[in-house]
Amino acid sequence: MAELENPNVMPNLITFLSSLLQKEAESNDVNRRFKAQKVSVFHGLSRPTISIQNYLDRIYKYANCSPSCFIVAYVYLDRFAQRQPSLPINSFNVHRLLITSVMVAAKFMDDMYYNNAYYAKVGGISTTEMNFLEVDFLFGLGFQLNVTPNIFNTYYSYLKRETMLQQCPPSIVESSLSLGRSLNLHLCFNEEDSTHQNQQVAV
């Protein structure tokens, strides 16, 4: 998508996506006290010291994949969350899910892409772990990697709209949020009815 090639677009989308994932992770961190959550290969022994924002900025800087890959990665993360309700995104797994989703998206979308060893270095993990994460992520998605133009536009339009709202005066934001509530908008999209819709990092 040509619009994504605009140098002013992607940094703002990355910032909003980071904020969205941060809120989701924090919410599920609280929920895990009351509801059991499955531990998977994506879970670290402790919370990574690097923030989600800085981690996603790092991936964006070094992955050298097409901008569309980040939209597709967002679609994959949403699919994964819906298909694996016992594995919600939280502070212990969000970083590994991010690097894996972007890598898988790049392999599916781009004609040329880096190998697993490169993405492992970007993500601050070993190549062996990167390989395991990729396999588990693919099975978690049920190998449903295709993203139709309609689905892509639905997710991109949502990210674009919310990014623009963050840059608006509070009065306009509140007005738009009220409209969103009245239309019963959700963060997770139903794809079956989408027509209605070299620094080292340790993680």
Side-chain angles (χ1 to χ4, degrees), residues 14 45 55 88 163:
I14 292 294
L45 297 177
Y55 194 68
T163 299

Side-chain angles (χ1 to χ4, degrees), residues 115-126:
N115 60 21
N116 288 23
Y118 181 84
Y119 274 96
K121 186 174 182 180
V122 172
I125 57 179
S126 69

Side-chain angles (χ1 to χ4, degrees), residues 1 4-5 10 60 63-72 102 105-106 108-113 119 152:
M1 180 179 287
L4 290 173
E5 301 296 337
M10 281 306 297
Y60 177 62
N64 292 322
C65 58
S66 63
S68 296
C69 291
F70 289 89
I71 310 300
V72 173
V102 172
F108 188 78
M109 294 289 293
D110 293 349
D111 293 329
M112 295 188 296
Y113 51 83
Y119 274 96
F152 182 94

